């Protein structure tokens, strides 16, 4: 019945991916979305909170909530940017250490899924999804 339905099949796929990613990041005490935010901040120290939300495709309220949670855990800090309204994010020393482990987990997940789907299918799927969401870089 749903073999041609992009909505049903994409959501079923995402639910499965969420379980895999959440299980992989469980050891760190972070959910996959929190882990991706910390990874981004570790790779782009002093990124604006607005830009982090844009890159992660998260609403302003969601990115604010995630930043607050990571800040409470001592994994990142909010800094005032060039204007009083601009917030910049920087990883703490603990955040940087954890960020290295998060990158290892991410690399393992990438290899696992790429192997399961096949390299060319994996790359094509990622590009199609990015194009469909309007992500260009």
């Amino acid at each position: 019945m749903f073999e041609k339905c992009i909505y049903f099949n994409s959501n079923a796929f995402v639910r499965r991916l969420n379980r895999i990613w959440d299980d992989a990041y469980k050891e760190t005490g972070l959910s996959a979305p929190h882990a991706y935010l910390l990874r981004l901040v570790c790779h782009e120290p002093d990124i604006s909170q607005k830009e982090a939300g844009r890159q992660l495709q998260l609403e302003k309220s969601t990115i604010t909530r995630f930043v607050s949670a990571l800040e409470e855990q001592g994994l990142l800090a909010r800094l005032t940017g060039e204007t009083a309204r601009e917030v910049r994010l920087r990883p703490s020393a603990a955040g940087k250490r954890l960020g290295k482990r998060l990158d290892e987990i991410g690399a393992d997940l990438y290899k696992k899924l790429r192997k399961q789907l096949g390299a060319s299918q994996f790359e094509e799927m990622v590009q199609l999804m990015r194009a469909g969401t309007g992500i260009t870089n």
Side-chain angles (χ1 to χ4, degrees), residues 84-98:
R85 293 186 66 180
E86 183 182 45
V87 176
R88 297 229 166 250
L89 307 173
R90 181 177 297 161
S92 66
K96 288 178 186 177
R97 285 190 301 274
L98 182 56

Side-chain angles (χ1 to χ4, degrees), residues 64-76:
T64 299
R65 195 172 62 249
F66 285 7
V67 167
S68 293
L70 293 174
E71 188 176 41
E72 286 174 18
Q73 294 178 52
L75 299 172
L76 62 76

Side-chain angles (χ1 to χ4, degrees), residues 99-116:
K100 290 177 184 176
R101 178 63 187 134
L102 298 175
D103 282 346
E104 291 169 359
I105 293 168
D108 289 344
L109 287 166
Y110 168 81
K111 288 177 195 171
K112 179 180 177 181
L113 196 58
R114 194 168 187 262
K115 183 178 180 180
Q116 285 181 329

Side-chain angles (χ1 to χ4, degrees), residues 112-131:
K112 179 180 177 181
L113 196 58
R114 194 168 187 262
K115 183 178 180 180
Q116 285 181 329
L117 294 175
S120 62
Q121 291 87 346
F122 178 85
E123 300 300 332
E124 184 178 354
M125 179 184 267
V126 170
Q127 291 309 311
L128 286 170
M129 287 189 297
R130 290 176 69 80

Side-chain angles (χ1 to χ4, degrees), residues 47-64:
I47 188 171
S48 73
Q49 184 169 314
K50 183 177 181 177
E51 177 61 16
R54 187 193 70 73
Q55 286 192 36
L56 295 171
Q57 298 284 296
L58 296 173
E59 296 294 325
K60 183 179 179 181
S61 61
T62 303
I63 192 77
T64 299

